[in-house]
């Protein structure tokens, strides 16, 4: 079964590493976007099975992007996982309370990223 | 200050002593008064007896005088026949019976009675004799009367009477002397008693005066010390930069310092008499006010309450955070509470800045590391295809050191959070054996890098501790990874659980080189690592054991170790046992 994974992050290097990491799973089709607005548009068009969403982004940050995705009927039900370097407990709880399915910490193990995403797809 | 408090203690003791002194003085006065009163009565009685004795003697002499008057009148009439000479006889005769009766009545000496009877008999004889002679003269038989008188019978009666009267007088004199002597002794006794009483009173008055004088001096000294203390405390109160307010048990403000008034934007006089609850953000319900006052009230035994944060409200309606600590001061007039209030705005601003700084630094450091570690990991994992062996080795070095940087950043941020109290601990019952098994599983791969296995000894199945599961996992990871790092290749790190009462202990042991003696005192210090010659440095941050100690301490436990060079090392961690769970 193929899964579509959308990765949204303003850091180009991290996007590249993340895409390579996710593509280690042969069942994953991966796209990357560089900003919140780009990600919202891509999600509406491509309809991914899961969105990996960075928190700290210029302009539209992760939580705002999540809110926008929830407003769109075509993207409202897509599971979203935040991926962030801001990993204090209070912040993690806050992101989960916004409706995120999980919060992954940066730096992430590139060899574990795909398996972790698969767990949330199948779980 | 100490002397003043001693004076105060002395003042406190005085009422008891004064009461006792008054009681003693009153008792002495009462007893003395009773004794003196009895003595005075005795003296009075004695003097009355002496007086009566004198009077009795006088009456005896008076009786004799009456008889002499009778004799004189009788003889004068017999000699002259003139009625006028009968006047003394008549006077004496009229009085003599009454005199004898009086002598009988007032006789207080039994020895007098026979003499008095003799005198009475002689008196009767004398009167009969005198009447006989007077009748003879009155009947014209004057010559017979003269012969009768000349017979000496009248003289004999008188002589005998004089003898008896003299004897009576002697008896009375002796009695008088005895009574006088008694009276004199009694007078002396009274004198000495009075003197003694006066001496006692003088001594008591002197003692009272001395004590009063000392009390006055002590009270004045205590007053001066109190004034000085009060002045010092008032100066501290007025000069303190924190707000200070005193209120009663109902919250009514009694006093406040200038800093308090300024903090809230009031004048001092505007707040005195107001309720302290008006200075805080509170719902208007009475229950909320009462709950707040009980929250504000300190330990009734007088210890200062812990610092509590409240929302405060200024006179202009704006709100700001304050830290409040309250002390209870029991006074004779009632309870008084002293609250020290500090504007917490700056503290909270600094906390927010620190939190934001930590979060920002965390993000800014981790972001590039994500790219570095991720890229290295992908290459090392073969995601970029096969690479030359030499390049592979270099990539592995870069990857492991990027991992080391990640761990270092995590450890630095963790220890900063713990030390600043901003690390969240979610305490819950955690089965110790399960937590250790999970940690062993998690670190198994790490151990395999060093050719080391982990083993959990049997036992401790029922041991449940109160801990934050994630933090406990962090402690176990740090100890297991440390033990693996310092174990000989192919060796085994063992973990043992020792359940206890109130505390459960687990021990992580390796059979490595042990800890040098000169390092033992620094082992829990940040960035402390033993000499390179004694360790195989394979990626330690130098913060692992420091984090273990901080976390275990925050969980209410303790960490210790036992190690000798060449004997291996055992780290012991004790954590609070969860209540109501089976003790091993």
């Amino acid at each position: 079964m193929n899964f579509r994974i959308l990765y949204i992050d303003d850091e180009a290097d991290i996007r590249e590493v993340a895409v390579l990491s996710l593509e280690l799973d042969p069942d994953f089709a991966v796209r990357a976007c560089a900003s919140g607005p780009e990600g919202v548009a891509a999600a509406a068009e491509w309809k991914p099975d899961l969105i990996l969403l960075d928190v700290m982004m210029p302009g539209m940050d992760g939580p705002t992007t999540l809110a926008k995705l929830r407003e769109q009927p075509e993207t409202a039900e897509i599971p979203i996982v935040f991926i962030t370097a801001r990993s204090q407990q209070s912040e993690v709880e806050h992101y989960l309370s916004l409706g995120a399915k999980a919060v992954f910490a940066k730096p992430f193990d590139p060899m574990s990223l795909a398996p972790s995403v698969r767990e949330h797809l199948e779980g | 200050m100490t002397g003043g408090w001693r004076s105060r203690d002395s003042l406190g003791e005085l009422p008891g002593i004064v009461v006792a002194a008054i009681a003693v003085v009153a008792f002495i006065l009462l007893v003395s008064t009773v004794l003196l009163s009895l003595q005075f009565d005795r003296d009075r009685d004695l003097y009355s007896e002496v007086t009566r004795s004198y009077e009795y003697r006088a009456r005896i002499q008076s009786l004799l005088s009456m008889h002499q008057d009778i004799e004189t009148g009788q003889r004068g009439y017999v000699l002259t026949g003139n009625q006028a000479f009968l006047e003394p006889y008549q006077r004496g005769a009229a009085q003599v019976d009454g005199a004898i009766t009086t002598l009988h009545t007032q006789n207080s000496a039994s020895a007098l009675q026979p003499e008095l009877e003799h005198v009475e008999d002689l008196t009767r004889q004398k009167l009969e004799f005198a009447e006989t002679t007077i009748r003879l003269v009155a009947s014209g038989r004057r010559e017979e009367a003269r012969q009768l008188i000349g017979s000496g019978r009248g003289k004999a009666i008188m002589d005998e009477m004089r003898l008896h009267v003299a004897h009576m007088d002697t008896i009375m004199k002796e009695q008088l002397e005895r009574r006088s002597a008694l009276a004199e002794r009694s007078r002396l006794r009274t004198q000495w008693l009075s003197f003694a009483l006066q001496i006692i009173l003088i001594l008591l008055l002197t003692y009272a005066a001395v004590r009063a004088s000392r009390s006055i001096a002590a009270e004045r000294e205590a007053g001066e010390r109190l004034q000085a203390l009060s002045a010092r405390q008032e100066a501290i109160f007025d000069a303190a930069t924190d707000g200070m307010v005193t209120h009663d048990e109902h919250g009514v403000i009694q006093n406040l310092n200038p800093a308090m008034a300024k903090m809230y934007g009031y004048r001092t006089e505007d707040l005195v008499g107001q309720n302290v609850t008006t200075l805080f953000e509170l719902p208007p319900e009475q229950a909320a006010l009462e709950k707040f006052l009980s929250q504000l009230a300190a330990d009734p035994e007088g210890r200062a309450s812990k610092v509590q944060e409240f929302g405060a409200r200024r006179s202009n309606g704006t709100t700001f955070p304050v830290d409040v600590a309250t002390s209870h001061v029991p006074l004779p007039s009632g309870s008084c509470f002293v609250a020290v209030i500090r504007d917490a705005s700056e503290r909270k601003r600094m906390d927010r800045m620190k939190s934001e700084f930590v979060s920002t630094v965390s993000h800014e450091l981790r972001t590039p590391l994500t790219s570095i570690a991720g890229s290295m990991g992908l290459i090392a994992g073969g995601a970029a295809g096969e690479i030359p062996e030499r390049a592979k080795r270099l990539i592995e070095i870069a990857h492991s050191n990027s991992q080391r940087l990640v761990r270092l950043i995590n450890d630095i941020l963790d220890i900063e959070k713990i030390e600043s109290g901003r690390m969240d601990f979610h305490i819950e019952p955690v089965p110790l054996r399960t937590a250790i098994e999970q940690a062993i599983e998690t670190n198994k791969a790490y151990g395999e890098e060093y050719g080391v296995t982990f083993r959990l000894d049997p036992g401790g199945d029922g041991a449940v501790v109160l801990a934050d599961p994630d933090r406990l996992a962090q402690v176990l990871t740090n100890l297991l990874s440390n033990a693996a790092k310092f174990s000989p290749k192919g060796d085994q790190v063992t973990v043992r659980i020792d359940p206890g009462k109130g505390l459960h202990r687990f021990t992580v042991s390796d059979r490595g080189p042990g800890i040098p003696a000169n390092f033992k005192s620094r082992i829990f210090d940040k960035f402390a690592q033993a000499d390179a010659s004694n360790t195989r440095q394979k990626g330690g941050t130098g913060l692992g054991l420091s984090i273990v100690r901080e976390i275990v301490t925050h969980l209410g436990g303790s960490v210790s170790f036992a190690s000798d060079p060449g004997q291996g090392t055992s780290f012991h961690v004790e954590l609070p046992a969860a209540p109501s769970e089976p003790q091993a």
Side-chain angles (χ1 to χ4, degrees), chain B residues 258-395:
Chain B
M260 178 81 181
K262 186 180 174 186
M263 190 190 304
Y264 280 84
Y266 286 101
R267 296 178 306 170
T268 303
E269 54 269 28
D270 291 338
L271 286 178
V272 173
Q274 298 299 319
N275 199 288
V276 70
T277 52
T278 59
L279 301 176
F280 296 92
E281 280 185 296
L282 289 172
E285 297 89 40
Q286 184 61 26
L289 295 176
E290 287 169 357
K291 186 184 171 198
F292 173 76
L293 276 177
S294 68
Q295 251 183 306
L296 202 59
D299 188 313
E301 293 179 17
R303 293 173 294 213
S305 70
K306 63 180 190 299
V307 177
Q308 303 176 76
E309 186 179 318
F310 294 99
R313 186 167 43 229
R314 295 190 186 90
S315 62
N316 60 9
T318 58
T319 59
F320 63 106
V322 289
D323 293 323
V324 180
T326 313
S327 294
H328 175 232
V329 183
L331 298 173
S333 54
S335 280
C336 172
F337 294 89
V338 180
V340 178
I341 301 173
R342 176 173 291 180
D343 189 338
S345 306
E346 187 62 22
R347 175 181 66 73
K348 290 185 80 70
R349 192 177 73 86
M350 294 304 297
D351 282 349
R352 273 196 305 275
M353 281 174 62
K354 271 173 85 170
S355 182
E356 285 166 10
F357 174 75
V358 168
S359 189
T360 302
V361 166
S362 162
H363 177 266
E364 295 306 317
L365 286 174
R366 284 172 170 153
T367 297
L369 266 175
T370 303
S371 301
I372 296 167
S375 305
M376 296 297 112
L378 282 169
I379 297 170
E386 280 298 315
I387 54 174
E389 196 58 34
R390 196 182 287 179
K392 187 176 179 184
R393 178 63 196 136
L394 293 172
I395 292 296

Side-chain angles (χ1 to χ4, degrees), chain B residues 85-96:
Chain B
F85 283 91
L86 281 176
E87 193 272 330
Y89 162 78
Q90 287 165 345
R91 188 175 63 242
Q95 291 175 345
V96 73

Side-chain angles (χ1 to χ4, degrees), chain A residues 7 11-14 16-18 20-21 24 54 56 84-91 93 106-111, chain B residues 355-356 358-360 362-363 366-371 373-375 377-378 381-383 406 417 422 424 426 470-471:
Chain A
Y7 187 84
E11 289 279 337
D13 292 342
I14 296 177
E16 195 169 337
V17 169
L20 285 172
S21 301
L24 289 175
D54 184 26
M56 296 286 290
T84 176
R86 300 184 84 107
S87 58
Q88 293 196 67
Q89 185 66 23
S90 56
E91 291 167 321
E93 287 170 358
K106 286 179 183 175
F108 53 83
D109 177 6
M111 309 308 291
Chain B
S355 182
E356 285 166 10
V358 168
S359 189
T360 302
S362 162
H363 177 266
R366 284 172 170 153
T367 297
L369 266 175
T370 303
S371 301
S375 305
L378 282 169
V406 169
K417 271 191 281 183
R422 288 181 301 105
D424 297 326
H426 299 279
D470 293 337
R471 299 297 149 226

